């Protein structure tokens, strides 16, 4: 995918440019936590971090950077600024944030593992009001986070080993280990 179409309202642009000047940092990083999952979120932060994997969008007074692999999730993103009696807020609306299309083979392991979970595991877990997402990847080890009725379930360990891990390894043989961070 080419650069994502990102819309920043005039008020949001002015506010972000003022904040960038105040912070003495024109670089804003657009990040996505748990992309393509039901709990995904996007955020903005000041960051001088640069990567060859970044896309850069220029605005008056600031630059917005995001990882190229996140383009499909931030496509159509709208950045708005609002003021009310309680203060002000920057709102990010990302209509594709939860949509995980089949990633290319060269996508990072986290995206590919989340896609396998969404396609082959979560529909079955959803029958019991449960879910699982990738919490993090360390090398070739995938750490999972269970949610919903999987929390506190006596069969969670069995489900992890006999269903989730088996399915991930079947589709992603490069995975060396699967563990969970959830406390049951």
């Amino acid at each position: 995918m080419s650069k994502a179409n990102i819309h920043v309202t005039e008020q949001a642009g002015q506010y972000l440019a003022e904040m960038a000047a105040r912070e003495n940092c024109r670089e804003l990083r657009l990040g996505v936590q748990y992309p393509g999952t039901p709990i995904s979120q996007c955020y903005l932060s000041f960051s001088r971090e640069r990567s060859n994997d970044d896309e850069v969008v220029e605005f008056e007074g600031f630059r917005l950077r995001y990882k190229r692999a996140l383009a499909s999730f931030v496509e159509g993103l709208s950045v708005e600024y609002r003021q009310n009696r309680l203060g002000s807020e920057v709102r990010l609306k990302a209509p594709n944030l939860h949509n995980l299309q089949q990633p290319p083979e060269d996508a990072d392991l986290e995206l590919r593992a989340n896609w396998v979970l969404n396609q082959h595991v979560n529909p079955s877990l959803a029958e019991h009001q449960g879910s699982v997402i990738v919490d993090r990847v360390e090398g070739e080890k995938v750490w999972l986070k269970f949610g919903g009725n999987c929390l506190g379930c006596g069969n969670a360990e069995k489900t992890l080993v006999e269903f989730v891990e088996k399915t991930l390894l079947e589709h992603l043989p490069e995975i060396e280990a699967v563990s969970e961070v959830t406390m049951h």
Side-chain angles (χ1 to χ4, degrees), residues 25-136:
C25 180
R26 290 191 69 230
E27 306 292 325
L28 281 164
R29 166 103 15 220
L30 173 62
V32 177
Q33 187 175 28
Y34 305 119
T37 68
I39 65 168
S40 57
Q41 301 178 40
C42 58
Y43 59 89
L44 288 175
S45 62
F46 290 102
S47 174
R48 288 183 172 82
E49 171 192 337
R50 293 183 176 166
S51 168
N52 290 335
D53 296 331
D54 283 349
E55 284 291 351
V56 180
V57 184
E58 294 279 345
F59 293 96
E60 189 172 327
F62 66 96
R63 280 187 205 99
L64 193 59
R65 293 181 172 277
Y66 61 91
K67 291 187 186 235
R68 221 170 257 118
L70 298 175
S72 65
F73 301 108
V74 299
E75 172 62 33
L77 176 81
S78 174
V79 182
E80 301 172 359
Y81 175 75
R82 294 185 192 173
Q83 283 186 298
N84 59 34
R85 294 179 305 185
L86 300 174
S88 62
E89 69 178 353
V90 173
R91 295 195 72 163
L92 306 176
K93 294 182 180 179
N96 296 306
L97 192 59
H98 304 285
N99 300 335
L100 183 57
Q101 305 297 320
Q102 183 168 8
E105 288 185 22
D106 64 346
D108 65 27
L109 185 55
E110 181 176 348
L111 282 178
R112 292 182 292 128
N114 266 321
W115 185 83
V116 170
L117 293 173
N118 286 340
Q119 295 297 308
H120 302 285
V121 174
N122 281 328
S124 296
L125 296 182
E127 293 175 11
H128 302 275
Q129 289 76 48
S131 64
V132 64
I133 62 167
V134 175
D135 182 70
R136 67 183 182 276

Side-chain angles (χ1 to χ4, degrees), residues 9-25:
T9 65
E10 185 177 339
Q11 289 177 315
Q14 289 172 351
Y15 176 76
L16 292 172
E18 288 171 18
M19 292 299 295
R22 190 177 313 156
E23 293 290 322
N24 196 26
C25 180

